[in-house]
Amino acid sequence: MPAPLSDSPRQVRIALGERSYEIRIGAGLLADAASWEGLPAAAAALVVTNTTVAPLYLGALRAALAARYRSVFEVVLPDGEEHKDWATLNLIFDALLSHGCDRRTVLFALGGGVVGDMTGFAAASYMRGVPFVQVPTTLLAQVDSSVGGKTAINHPLGKNMIGAFYQPARVLCDLDTLKTLPPRELSAGLAEVIKYGPIADLDFLDWIEANVDALVAREPRALAHAVKRSCEIKAEVVGQDERESGLRAILNFGHTFGHAIEAGLGYGEWLHGEAVGCGMVMALRLSHRLGLVDAAFVQRVTALIARAGLPTVGPALGAERYLALMRVDKKAEAGEVRFVVIERPGQAAVRGAPDDLVRQVLAESTR
Amino acid sequence: MPAPLSDSPRQVRIALGERSYEIRIGAGLLADAASWEGLPAAAAALVVTNTTVAPLYLGALRAALAARYRSVFEVVLPDGEEHKDWATLNLIFDALLSHGCDRRTVLFALGGGVVGDMTGFAAASYMRGVPFVQVPTTLLAQVDSSVGGKTAINHPLGKNMIGAFYQPARVLCDLDTLKTLPPRELSAGLAEVIKYGPIADLDFLDWIEANVDALVAREPRALAHAVKRSCEIKAEVVGQDERESGLRAILNFGHTFGHAIEAGLGYGEWLHGEAVGCGMVMALRLSHRLGLVDAAFVQRVTALIARAGLPTVGPALGAERYLALMRVDKKAEAGEVRFVVIERPGQAAVRGAPDDLVRQVLAESTR
């Protein structure tokens, strides 16, 4: 299964009625004024980015937007998951208000998942809602967090606890931005790519296995296909369940364990994608112990996660600490932890599991 | 035009498709377990109230809710518009997370507009959205702020700048709670009742004129009719324009000037309804200077506002300060202030006005 041969931009549509929008995927898109045609008319744009991304891409984006907006403002946030809080979010509101931005301002999120989540929540909340555009510059944001309208900030007692479902007006994935991504972050993004295989598409899982070395080596056509296929699967799921009343929760495969790792170590210690990679190993083992998948499938996906450069063994926080952290997960109901499990290869479901089974999984998956 | 004779509870429906809900209006509803039937099933309820309302009604509401929810938690906020900020909002999130509340928790806003706005925004944002119920205990909240799904907190640079459109699952107006309302707050509520006359219903304006003394004296049937008719008009407007893309802005009659008064004096100095009362006088004079209504109509409504116990002369902030404060109003577009004016008695519209005309209005309306 080779990667497609074409280098031309690809498009994926998220079908959500009047909230529908396009994901555009390709090289060199960010600096191309044509990328921004058709967005809501507005006098002003505010680009939100961080201290790492600003020196790399802010100038090019501002130049491209200047052709369309009379005023282009910027706000540069500190970089890192530990800044995904109210104080940092408020820097966006301060910028909007100090520039006198009205309801017809468009926000642009230039950066990874943290920038996208915070910009999206700021857009959802500023004057009760202004349009925003996702310009993800990490693989994780391109294949997952920028698509689907989940926005949030963290609370000291839980990750992504405060936020909104709020769809962007467009998502623009410029593959060139992945060239500057640190290797750890590329691997973290691959965790979310791999995720789509076990939960939804075994053909894609085969393709990732055949191309994982090319992906780690940042072969452009491999990355282009990985981003496009990931977005297609996510688009299909989100189109059926925008507000996560059911199906959409399968996209959190690996995330319940993963969030516990992140929270237990302190946000920012492990990257989100690293925690998800390890969390998927745990969730696969739980699925096996529930009698849903065989050991060979667990081994197969675990090996792929390792080849992508991701951890497959979790930190030894202690089983009780893991369980306590998972009880504040947003999928929990009346204190019972809910896990995304693999029902059979290519299909996921959400269900509870006995604490003892979870303890066994944690015992064999941490050190 | 006498007030209706029946004492039985009244209902008004807000028709918004799957977000539709009922406003229930009557005496003694709060402590009646039947009032809470049909709400979303949940294990836990969190009542949000403030230090003024808690001693009066929290016990009764908690007792009524205990029949329906396994756990009933509470959080008591400091009272006052000056606390409508992130720090106070965060007390709600702290309570939800420290009690381990999940997505199926229902929030109850027991109090006035500030409690309702903050509880609504907390419900909109907690885990990206949980159900909430408005239990307004002030006249202003019963006739205006609890209905229609506008939620927000203030920012140091602007009132209600951060929030969401998020509809409650029900609004319950217990008229008995108005018995404990301080006279100033009753008058402030009457400002929003009077508002509906000039913008939408001259028959209602006639009725208010005939019954304003009964309203000030808290005659129960007069209050019942005022609350019901106000909610009906608001329901009709909100049903046509939930997210304020057009028509709904007419409900802000008096609010552009009023917000400038509140912000200019410092939030909490004048009550919101007092500022709106005075702001309506200014907006009427502006409408007159724009050639839309005659002086007699301005005089008539101004006299009614005064009879309701409201100020009709604004603080002397200086015209330029007023104009600067109004430019950050959410209706402003590209720096131009937009006013709700009376096009002809019973009909409102949103439009700009020359700064000089606004200065003339301010000169005759402040001291």
Side-chain angles (χ1 to χ4, degrees):
Chain A
M1 256 165 294
L5 293 177
S6 162
D7 277 332
S8 60
R10 297 153 167 81
Q11 297 205 0
V12 177
R13 183 165 181 79
I14 308 278
L16 290 168
E18 59 183 18
R19 292 184 302 286
S20 298
Y21 55 96
E22 273 176 5
I23 309 166
R24 298 187 182 184
I25 303 159
L29 295 182
L30 184 148
D32 184 353
S35 298
W36 311 114
E37 285 166 8
L39 288 175
L46 176 76
V47 181
V48 181
T49 186
N50 68 28
T51 49
T52 305
V53 177
L56 298 170
Y57 304 112
L58 179 56
L61 179 58
R62 284 194 63 138
L65 294 179
R68 187 169 170 82
Y69 301 99
R70 199 170 60 209
S71 307
V72 180
F73 305 112
E74 62 184 54
V75 57
V76 181
L77 308 178
D79 187 12
E81 178 84 25
E82 68 273 27
H83 297 292
K84 193 170 153 181
D85 58 10
W86 174 263
T88 308
L89 183 74
N90 212 33
L91 297 176
I92 306 176
F93 296 131
D94 290 345
L96 287 163
L97 285 162
S98 65
H99 291 303
C101 290
D102 65 25
R103 273 185 177 160
R104 297 176 53 158
T105 307
V106 182
L107 271 60
F108 288 79
L110 175 69
V114 173
V115 165
D117 279 10
M118 287 205 291
T119 306
F121 187 40
S125 307
Y126 186 63
M127 295 192 177
R128 303 194 184 92
V130 295
F132 86 112
V133 175
Q134 292 272 19
V135 191
T137 61
T138 67
L139 181 59
L140 185 137
Q142 292 189 357
V143 301
D144 184 34
S145 62
S146 72
V147 175
K150 275 198 185 180
T151 73
I153 57 173
N154 298 330
H155 182 283
L157 295 177
K159 192 174 150 72
N160 292 328
M161 283 295 161
I162 302 165
F165 288 100
Y166 194 72
Q167 300 296 339
R170 183 168 300 166
V171 180
L172 191 115
C173 302
D174 186 333
L175 298 168
D176 284 345
T177 62
L178 303 180
K179 292 176 181 168
T180 51
L181 206 59
R184 239 184 107 182
E185 293 210 30
L186 186 84
S187 291
L190 289 176
E192 300 280 6
V193 174
I194 292 169
K195 171 185 83 176
Y196 293 109
I199 65 168
D201 185 348
L202 288 184
D203 288 342
F204 188 45
L205 186 63
D206 291 342
W207 181 88
I208 301 167
E209 280 184 315
N211 290 274
V212 65
D213 295 335
L215 289 167
V216 170
R218 309 188 196 206
E219 199 279 298
R221 287 184 189 163
L223 286 174
H225 181 69
V227 172
K228 175 167 179 281
R229 185 63 195 134
S230 297
C231 288
E232 282 171 350
I233 295 170
K234 181 144 188 183
E236 197 170 322
V237 172
V238 170
Q240 290 177 59
D241 178 22
E242 182 181 7
R243 295 180 72 89
E244 197 166 289
S245 44
L247 176 69
R248 183 167 178 166
I250 67 166
L251 297 174
N252 286 324
F253 175 54
H255 285 58
T256 306
F257 288 106
H259 284 169
I261 293 172
E262 286 184 273
L265 292 175
Y267 294 122
E269 192 62 33
W270 280 30
L271 296 175
H272 174 66
E274 291 172 336
V276 168
C278 185
M280 287 193 289
V281 174
M282 294 172 175
L284 281 161
R285 286 180 176 155
L286 182 63
S287 307
H288 175 57
R289 283 181 183 272
L290 287 164
L292 301 170
V293 294
D294 61 25
F297 186 73
V298 176
Q299 188 42 46
R300 178 188 167 194
V301 181
T302 302
L304 179 58
I305 290 167
R307 283 179 69 200
L310 292 160
T312 57
V313 178
L317 305 171
E320 300 318 308
R321 176 95 172 110
Y322 268 97
L323 283 164
L325 288 164
M326 293 192 290
R327 283 198 190 94
V328 297
D329 185 86
K330 288 190 289 301
K331 291 185 295 300
E333 280 180 17
E336 195 209 24
V337 188
R338 312 268 297 162
F339 296 92
V340 182
V341 296
I342 303 302
E343 281 204 312
R344 58 171 179 272
Q347 189 176 316
V350 180
R351 52 167 289 180
D355 281 359
D356 272 352
L357 225 52
V358 177
R359 287 190 189 96
Q360 289 169 25
V361 166
L362 289 165
E364 67 175 329
S365 308
T366 60
R367 69 156 177 269
Chain B
M1 255 167 295
L5 294 177
S6 162
D7 277 332
S8 61
R10 297 154 169 81
Q11 297 206 359
V12 177
R13 184 165 180 79
I14 309 278
L16 290 169
E18 60 182 17
R19 293 184 300 286
S20 298
Y21 57 96
E22 272 175 7
I23 308 167
R24 298 188 180 183
I25 303 160
L29 295 182
L30 184 149
D32 184 352
S35 298
W36 311 113
E37 284 167 8
L39 287 176
L46 175 75
V47 181
V48 182
T49 187
N50 67 28
T51 48
T52 305
V53 177
L56 299 169
Y57 305 112
L58 179 56
L61 179 58
R62 285 195 62 138
L65 295 179
R68 186 169 171 82
Y69 301 99
R70 200 171 57 210
S71 307
V72 180
F73 304 112
E74 63 184 53
V75 57
V76 181
L77 308 178
D79 188 11
E81 178 84 26
E82 68 274 26
H83 298 291
K84 193 171 152 181
D85 59 10
W86 174 262
T88 308
L89 182 74
N90 212 32
L91 296 175
I92 306 176
F93 297 130
D94 290 346
L96 287 163
L97 284 162
S98 65
H99 291 302
C101 290
D102 64 26
R103 274 185 176 161
R104 297 178 52 160
T105 306
V106 182
L107 270 59
F108 289 79
L110 175 69
V114 173
V115 165
D117 279 10
M118 287 205 290
T119 307
F121 187 42
S125 308
Y126 186 62
M127 295 191 176
R128 303 194 184 92
V130 296
F132 86 111
V133 175
Q134 291 273 19
V135 191
T137 60
T138 68
L139 182 58
L140 186 138
Q142 292 188 356
V143 300
D144 184 34
S145 62
S146 71
V147 175
K150 275 198 184 180
T151 74
I153 57 172
N154 298 330
H155 182 282
L157 296 177
K159 191 173 149 72
N160 292 328
M161 283 295 161
I162 302 165
F165 288 100
Y166 194 72
Q167 300 296 339
R170 183 168 300 166
V171 180
L172 191 116
C173 301
D174 187 333
L175 298 168
D176 284 344
T177 62
L178 303 181
K179 292 176 181 169
T180 52
L181 205 58
R184 240 184 108 183
E185 293 210 28
L186 186 83
S187 292
L190 289 176
E192 302 278 9
V193 174
I194 292 169
K195 172 184 83 175
Y196 293 109
I199 65 168
D201 186 347
L202 288 184
D203 288 343
F204 188 44
L205 185 63
D206 291 341
W207 181 88
I208 302 167
E209 280 183 316
N211 291 274
V212 65
D213 296 336
L215 290 167
V216 170
R218 310 187 194 206
E219 199 279 297
R221 285 184 190 164
L223 285 174
H225 181 68
V227 172
K228 175 167 179 280
R229 184 64 195 134
S230 297
C231 288
E232 283 172 350
I233 295 170
K234 180 144 189 183
E236 198 170 319
V237 173
V238 170
Q240 289 177 61
D241 178 22
E242 183 181 7
R243 295 179 72 86
E244 196 167 289
S245 43
L247 177 69
R248 182 166 178 167
I250 68 167
L251 297 174
N252 286 324
F253 176 54
H255 285 58
T256 307
F257 288 106
H259 284 167
I261 293 172
E262 287 184 273
L265 293 174
Y267 295 122
E269 192 62 33
W270 281 30
L271 296 175
H272 174 66
E274 292 172 334
V276 167
C278 186
M280 287 194 290
V281 174
M282 294 173 175
L284 282 161
R285 287 181 175 153
L286 182 64
S287 307
H288 176 56
R289 284 182 183 272
L290 288 165
L292 301 170
V293 295
D294 62 24
F297 187 73
V298 177
Q299 187 42 47
R300 177 187 169 195
V301 181
T302 303
L304 180 59
I305 290 167
R307 283 179 70 199
L310 293 160
T312 57
V313 178
L317 305 172
E320 301 317 307
R321 176 95 173 109
Y322 269 98
L323 283 164
L325 288 164
M326 293 192 290
R327 284 198 189 94
V328 298
D329 185 87
K330 287 190 290 301
K331 290 186 295 302
E333 279 181 19
E336 196 207 23
V337 188
R338 313 268 298 161
F339 296 93
V340 182
V341 296
I342 304 302
E343 281 205 311
R344 59 172 179 272
Q347 189 175 317
V350 180
R351 52 167 290 180
D355 281 359
D356 272 351
L357 225 52
V358 177
R359 287 191 190 96
Q360 289 168 26
V361 167
L362 290 166
E364 68 175 329
S365 309
T366 61
R367 68 156 179 269

